[in-house]
Amino acid sequence: MSEYNVIEIHNLSKIFYDFWGRAKVRALDDLSFHVKQGEIFGLLGPNGSGKSTTIKILLGLLFPTFGKVSVFGSPARNVSHKQKIGFLPEESYLYPYQNAEEALTFYGRLFNLPHKVCQQRVDNLLEMVGLTRVRKRLLKEYSKGMARRIGIAQALINDPQLIILDEPTSGLDPIGTREIKDVILQLKEHGKTVLLCSHLLADVEDLCDRVTILYGGKQACEGQIGELLSNQEVTQVVSERLPSDKLEKLKDWFEKENIALHSVGNPTERLESFFLKTIEKARNEQKDAHGADAGRRVEGLFTDVEKTPEKDVGAKVLDSLVKKKETRESEEDNKEESEEIKSANQADTSSKGSSEGTKVIANLLKIEKPVPEVGKKEKDPSEPPKNNEVLSKLLKKNSGDEEENEK
Amino acid sequence: MRDLTAISHKIVQEAVRMRTPVVLLIFVIGMIPLMPFVLRDDGTLRGQLQLILNYSVILTVTLLSLQSIYLTIHSFTGEIKYKHFFLIDAKPVARWKFLVGKFLGLAWINLVSLTILGTVILVALYLGYSQGSASEKKQIRHELLTSYRGVKPYFDEERFQKLVEAEYKSMTEENRLAQDKTVLQIRGEIRLRTRQQMNMVPLSFQRRWLFQGIPTYLRKMESSYLKLRYKTYCSNMSYQFQCNEKWDIGSGGSVYSESNARTVNEFHEIIIPVSVIEDDGSVIVAFTNYDEAAGIVYFPVEDGMEVLYPQNNFLSNFLKAFFLLFLVLSFLVFLALFASTFLTFPIAILFVMYFLVLGMLADFLLEFAPLGAEILTKNKDTLWSIFYQKTLSVAFGVFPNFSEYVLTGHLSNGRLIEWSSIAKGTFILFLFKGGLLILFGCFIFNRREVGKPTL
């Protein structure tokens, strides 16, 4: 991760005025944060906290009332730096009368991409988001999830350096969510900076390096996600299944040592991994579906047909993807794959749920598993469990409800 | 450049998918064959074709104007309302490019629509022409399928001014000036009266007019001819009264004479041989009033006499007329884009429609502006009347008079559309006024917070 700040926001305030010039709403109040190159930065907060306003200011859709905003070192309204930005809005604001291919070509042409490059990227992105088969269908006939996939594809059409994602997984099914999360991790792996704005705390927890939490337009807290979530007061030990007599001994030992034991039992499987396994089973039995396919990692996603030195940046993404794939392919055979699926199906600890889920889906969909935890720390069983409750508590805490937090 | 073409291509795509131009084309094309059964003409094939031409062009320009306004405003405000523009503004596309791209797309739609409809109208005209007899075809060729340039009679402004001054002096000396009128109003009345007197031919009198600037090369073209176009009134107010007229056109050894009875209060055309043109390009026209039943014969000042000479074929005139229509439609697109930068859908439509109606009625409104001032100020030049007239003149100076550019009358009457009209349309209407609108539009749109929450 570079120390270069892709986004810098200093003392940003945004006030909305009414027709007569009277201040009606202070959407942002003295907000300051920065996003480093190559990191996934989460922007969290309840409804009306100012997340979308911040994103709109970053994109020049709104102008700051006070404060300074810079993206790639230049003011947010500068048009030229938008060449390096990909944006996925809260809803996929696509033209209903275009089909998927036309929509992506249109956005590609807005970046002045050469025709051949544009066509290749459109093909690759459609394959990546699993919409190749319905590329000629009008977007107004798409489901919300399919429209979301096209939205994500258009955000990546220019091989952006900074990707701003506003609720990227809203409207997606768990498989789609997993795929998008994998794509985000792939992007990070290739040095892209991601600003992620989401209500889904599990997504943020799985993906983000750092987060800032907004409440009422003000910054409630900011920091490394690991630091914010670690609970130093509790220790968790995960072991293979213990017989009841050994379990009793263990309880006695805790009692003898005067250590408070909060819970003992079998951890439950995460719904996400359970769902993915069920779908895998169903897919094996039922061959065809009419909507979107499962997405794929696409070789040469950002490879330009006519390479220029600048475009080679995009080509690197491809190169690294291809190399990794080839290496792994030579190492893995079908037997190993089936074993992995089996082991993934058996793995059911909640702390490993996310990573195992990734393995499962990667095998199910026969896609490249995007390196178990790309840009993400391998979860240590001794590490306290990360769960959404912690982030929820944080939100509550920072919204001023201190009493409840102490409880 | 690809970004501009992408935006323009997208609006064409939007229009096609909305099927607006297709519906419009079908409507106009469907109306043309119905016109001969719906419209009343003078019973001749020429009259029928003139009416078809006139109404189909008016229908075309009206519907295309409405389509341009609707498509522009619907597309632009829809982008903001449904937040499609968020995705465009997040791309490296300057906002002025968005406006210009929209304009290019709409201009392309108008160009294609005009081309298709123009072709259909031309085909309809030539089909009608091919059905006529030899004499009808000749009449159509002379009166519709040839475009003429008109020359007004020479007018000695200096002499006229002296006559007006002499009359005013005489009225002052004889104390005949109206007390409730201003000097300007009195002078205006004297000018009008004197002008009418100059075009008046009492019984047994002859009046002559001099026409200058007619090209002498026409004399060498045997098939060529001149036309005298005129209209008369007379003291006899009987319905469809026919006045006996005697015309002597030319001077010296080459005089064309004609005596005929023609209906008053209607336009007539006399075909004149080109031999009457003098070496200096002038033609002398003399009218003798010898009809006792007619009394005094008047030639109106407004629709005055003209000598017409052929200049071009119909097709080139038709293309010029359609090019001017394209400029008018382009101006409307500029106006609609400008309105959309700061107004929402229904308000922007009303705003542009207001100026469209104002531009269409500009001639009529300008004619009645002085009358309005008089009513407003009870015939006195007060501050209010001056303010009223000045405001009107500024308003009509700023906003275009569309009747100057929608020249359907020129097409159906076989009048040449001058290159000066094309130049005026291109530079004043399109580049200057349209350019100013788009510049203001860019200025406003660049400062607009499109991401502002709307209720």
Side-chain angles (χ1 to χ4, degrees):
Chain A
M1 199 183 301
S2 161
E3 284 306 305
Y4 172 69
N5 290 333
V6 172
I7 296 173
E8 281 186 50
I9 293 180
H10 295 291
N11 310 110
L12 176 66
S13 294
K14 177 67 191 174
I15 302 168
F16 289 110
Y17 298 94
D18 67 4
F19 181 79
W20 306 106
R22 295 172 300 189
K24 289 293 274 187
V25 180
R26 184 178 274 268
L28 292 175
D29 190 4
D30 204 28
L31 178 67
S32 296
F33 68 86
H34 63 272
V35 180
K36 290 177 192 161
Q37 190 176 33
E39 76 173 339
I40 302 179
F41 188 87
L43 203 55
L44 299 179
N47 290 336
S49 59
K51 304 184 298 292
S52 293
T53 304
T54 309
I55 287 178
K56 285 176 183 174
I57 290 174
L58 284 170
L59 293 166
L61 297 165
L62 288 174
F63 313 146
T65 311
F66 307 110
K68 194 181 159 192
V69 177
S70 73
V71 182
F72 291 110
S74 55
R77 293 205 63 206
N78 191 328
V79 173
S80 60
H81 77 239
K82 291 180 182 173
Q83 194 78 35
K84 295 183 269 186
I85 298 178
F87 170 53
L88 172 71
E90 197 175 351
E91 289 171 40
S92 298
Y93 302 128
L94 301 163
Y95 297 102
Y97 46 81
Q98 285 182 325
N99 62 38
E101 189 179 333
E102 287 167 344
L104 291 185
T105 308
F106 170 66
Y107 292 113
R109 286 171 72 189
L110 292 184
F111 284 100
N112 281 311
L113 294 179
H115 181 69
K116 282 183 181 174
V117 177
C118 188
Q119 281 312 112
Q120 191 181 351
R121 285 194 186 174
V122 168
D123 292 342
N124 290 347
L125 284 166
L126 281 172
E127 196 178 341
M128 186 194 88
V129 296
L131 293 173
T132 306
R133 281 196 313 167
V134 287
R135 63 195 294 162
K136 297 288 182 190
R137 196 189 290 179
L138 292 182
L139 296 182
K140 66 181 173 190
E141 295 164 8
Y142 273 27
S143 68
K144 195 181 175 190
M146 288 159 82
R148 203 79 192 129
R149 287 163 187 248
I150 283 294
I152 288 160
Q154 67 78 28
L156 300 176
I157 191 84
N158 58 322
D159 182 16
Q161 296 302 304
L162 167 65
I163 302 109
I164 299 174
L165 304 170
D166 197 354
E167 303 287 353
T169 55
S170 78
L172 291 179
D173 56 30
I175 299 171
T177 302
R178 186 68 253 166
E179 287 164 8
I180 296 310
K181 281 155 88 170
D182 287 346
V183 168
I184 295 169
L185 291 171
Q186 282 174 39
L187 291 168
K188 178 189 159 63
E189 185 187 354
H190 295 106
K192 314 288 184 189
T193 310
V194 180
L195 177 64
L196 178 69
C197 175
S198 180
H199 283 110
L200 301 172
L201 302 179
D203 293 354
V204 177
E205 189 187 349
D206 287 347
L207 298 169
C208 292
D209 300 309
R210 286 195 306 134
V211 294
T212 189
I213 299 176
L214 304 182
Y215 182 77
K218 290 183 180 174
Q219 196 168 25
C221 89
E222 187 196 328
Q224 297 276 348
I225 200 146
E227 289 171 11
L228 291 174
L229 299 184
S230 67
N231 188 348
Q232 300 297 329
E233 306 298 316
V234 183
T235 303
Q236 186 186 34
V237 178
V238 179
S239 75
E240 63 181 42
R241 193 175 183 282
L242 293 176
S244 57
D245 56 328
K246 287 188 178 172
L247 201 61
E248 286 305 316
K249 279 184 185 174
L250 196 63
K251 282 181 186 173
D252 292 342
W253 181 82
F254 272 96
E255 207 174 323
K256 192 179 162 189
E257 294 292 324
N258 205 18
I259 300 169
L261 185 64
H262 295 310
S263 71
V264 177
N266 298 326
T268 52
E269 186 178 0
R270 284 181 76 175
L271 185 59
E272 185 185 13
S273 56
F274 174 76
F275 178 86
L276 293 173
K277 277 191 284 183
T278 310
I279 293 299
E280 154 67 354
K281 195 179 164 193
R283 181 168 289 155
N284 287 337
E285 291 164 4
Q286 215 174 1
K287 301 296 178 203
D288 203 12
H290 298 287
D293 292 333
R296 287 165 182 81
R297 282 187 75 172
V298 175
E299 296 177 26
L301 181 59
F302 298 121
T303 308
D304 296 332
V305 175
E306 294 156 10
K307 282 183 184 176
T308 62
E310 196 181 342
K311 282 166 192 155
D312 280 344
V313 177
K316 281 176 192 169
V317 179
L318 161 75
D319 294 340
S320 57
L321 282 170
V322 173
K323 274 176 196 166
K324 277 172 191 164
K325 187 183 175 188
E326 284 169 353
T327 316
R328 273 197 298 275
E329 271 179 355
S330 63
E331 289 170 356
E332 290 173 4
D333 56 31
N334 291 335
K335 195 179 172 185
E336 280 172 344
E337 276 178 13
S338 60
E339 278 174 4
E340 208 171 329
I341 293 170
K342 197 179 168 188
S343 65
N345 288 344
Q346 286 168 351
D348 59 358
T349 60
S350 63
S351 60
K352 285 183 180 175
S354 169
S355 61
E356 293 302 340
T358 311
K359 281 180 187 173
V360 173
I361 191 67
N363 285 295
L364 292 181
L365 305 176
K366 301 216 186 300
I367 63 172
E368 286 297 307
K369 193 175 76 63
V371 184
E373 262 63 305
V374 183
K376 188 178 158 193
K377 295 165 287 297
E378 185 76 47
K379 288 185 183 175
D380 187 339
S382 64
E383 220 176 76
K386 290 179 183 177
N387 56 41
N388 299 345
E389 284 174 22
V390 182
L391 272 173
S392 305
K393 278 182 185 173
L394 264 172
L395 277 171
K396 282 181 186 170
K397 182 183 175 184
N398 289 293
S399 63
D401 195 351
E402 286 177 5
E403 278 182 23
E404 195 179 325
N405 185 41
E406 279 169 15
K407 282 178 191 174
Chain B
M1 194 62 188
R2 283 191 195 92
D3 47 0
L4 265 183
T5 54
I7 293 167
S8 57
H9 176 258
K10 194 208 64 77
I11 193 167
V12 175
Q13 194 179 49
E14 181 181 354
V16 171
R17 302 264 158 98
M18 280 170 70
R19 299 185 181 88
T20 321
V22 180
V23 170
L24 183 138
L25 291 177
I26 291 170
F27 182 73
V28 176
I29 293 167
M31 281 295 287
I32 290 172
L34 291 178
M35 281 183 183
F37 305 105
V38 177
L39 304 171
R40 283 189 64 190
D41 52 59
D42 60 359
T44 63
L45 183 62
R46 181 218 54 181
Q48 198 178 52
L49 293 183
Q50 277 180 325
L51 274 182
I52 289 176
L53 177 64
N54 229 345
Y55 284 98
S56 54
V57 173
I58 288 172
L59 192 67
T60 298
V61 73
T62 308
L63 291 178
L64 283 182
S65 299
L66 295 178
Q67 178 190 261
S68 298
I69 294 168
Y70 175 77
L71 273 182
T72 311
I73 294 174
H74 178 266
S75 166
F76 196 116
T77 55
E79 299 254 13
I80 310 288
K81 187 178 176 184
Y82 300 109
K83 300 176 182 175
H84 304 309
F85 185 70
F86 283 17
L87 282 178
I88 295 179
D89 210 33
K91 310 280 185 279
V93 180
R95 289 190 180 178
W96 68 264
K97 281 190 177 177
F98 179 72
L99 282 172
V100 173
K102 286 260 176 210
F103 170 76
L104 291 176
L106 288 154
W108 176 248
I109 292 171
N110 284 333
L111 196 66
V112 172
S113 303
L114 282 173
T115 307
I116 294 171
L117 291 175
T119 310
V120 170
I121 293 168
L122 274 180
V123 168
L125 280 182
Y126 281 100
L127 278 177
Y129 169 75
S130 64
Q131 304 296 313
S133 64
S135 61
E136 281 176 328
K137 281 183 178 175
K138 189 181 174 189
Q139 187 189 25
I140 293 166
R141 270 202 310 276
H142 280 179
E143 296 182 22
L144 184 65
L145 299 184
T146 307
S147 56
Y148 299 86
R149 178 174 280 152
V151 179
K152 296 271 185 192
Y154 171 74
F155 182 70
D156 190 345
E157 180 66 40
E158 199 179 329
R159 183 170 155 260
F160 175 70
Q161 200 56 42
K162 279 179 186 169
L163 283 172
V164 172
E165 285 306 314
E167 175 65 12
Y168 181 73
K169 197 176 172 186
S170 130
M171 284 174 74
T172 314
E173 284 169 1
E174 293 168 17
N175 203 19
R176 287 191 286 125
L177 295 179
Q179 297 301 311
D180 59 341
K181 289 183 180 169
T182 64
V183 176
L184 274 176
Q185 285 170 333
I186 292 169
R187 279 181 192 275
E189 284 176 6
I190 295 172
R191 281 180 71 87
L192 185 66
R193 201 163 54 232
T194 311
R195 196 74 198 269
Q196 283 170 344
Q197 281 169 0
M198 289 172 80
N199 286 316
M200 194 185 285
V201 189
L203 185 63
S204 305
F205 273 76
Q206 186 185 61
R207 188 166 288 280
R208 291 181 172 208
W209 293 268
L210 174 67
F211 292 88
Q212 292 177 315
I214 298 166
T216 51
Y217 66 79
L218 290 171
R219 290 192 300 188
K220 293 172 191 165
M221 299 164 72
E222 285 183 10
S223 62
S224 194
Y225 54 89
L226 301 180
K227 287 203 299 188
L228 179 70
R229 190 168 191 270
Y230 69 96
K231 185 178 183 180
T232 55
Y233 298 119
C234 69
S235 309
N236 192 327
M237 305 290 281
S238 310
Y239 177 67
Q240 293 282 301
F241 175 74
Q242 290 205 322
C243 176
N244 288 305
E245 302 166 349
K246 184 172 188 316
W247 293 93
D248 297 296
I249 302 163
S251 63
S254 175
V255 178
Y256 172 77
S257 297
E258 189 193 287
S259 295
N260 226 327
R262 290 194 174 91
T263 312
V264 295
N265 204 11
E266 277 181 13
F267 276 106
H268 299 287
E269 287 181 351
I270 301 173
I271 306 287
I272 313 163
V274 285
S275 57
V276 299
I277 304 171
E278 301 285 336
D279 291 341
D280 60 353
S282 64
V283 170
I284 295 168
V285 174
F287 173 80
T288 310
N289 179 4
Y290 67 95
D291 191 339
E292 289 182 3
I296 299 169
V297 176
Y298 307 91
F299 289 87
V301 176
E302 285 300 315
D303 298 316
M305 190 188 293
E306 272 184 302
V307 166
L308 306 170
Y309 57 92
Q311 271 294 284
N312 230 326
N313 61 22
F314 175 77
L315 187 63
S316 68
N317 220 30
F318 189 80
L319 290 175
K320 282 183 192 170
F322 266 65
F323 179 71
L324 282 174
L325 294 186
F326 173 71
L327 294 180
V328 169
L329 294 175
S330 298
F331 177 82
L332 287 174
V333 172
F334 280 134
L335 187 61
L337 283 173
F338 168 73
S340 306
T341 57
F342 62 98
L343 294 172
T344 51
F345 177 68
I347 312 295
I349 291 263
L350 289 175
F351 178 87
V352 180
M353 290 298 286
Y354 171 76
F355 286 106
L356 175 67
V357 173
L358 210 64
M360 289 290 188
L361 299 178
D363 272 350
F364 173 79
L365 292 172
L366 274 176
E367 193 181 329
F368 285 93
L371 184 68
E374 280 180 20
I375 294 166
L376 189 74
T377 60
K378 293 178 184 166
N379 295 332
K380 289 201 173 84
D381 277 339
T382 62
L383 194 63
W384 272 116
S385 83
I386 292 165
F387 175 76
Y388 173 82
Q389 293 197 53
K390 290 285 175 198
T391 310
L392 270 183
S393 60
V394 168
F396 286 111
V398 172
F399 293 104
N401 179 355
F402 291 130
S403 54
E404 288 179 8
Y405 306 105
V406 183
L407 301 176
T408 45
H410 280 58
L411 275 184
S412 56
N413 292 327
R415 300 298 295 271
L416 181 77
I417 296 172
E418 300 286 350
W419 284 109
S420 58
S421 297
I422 303 286
K424 191 179 173 189
T426 308
F427 292 105
I428 306 290
L429 182 69
F430 181 77
L431 289 176
F432 180 65
K433 291 184 175 176
L436 274 182
L437 280 174
I438 203 82
L439 275 178
F440 282 130
C442 288
F443 180 81
I444 294 168
F445 193 46
N446 214 31
R447 277 152 187 77
R448 183 170 170 185
E449 289 187 291
V450 287
K452 220 169 180 177
T454 47
L455 295 174

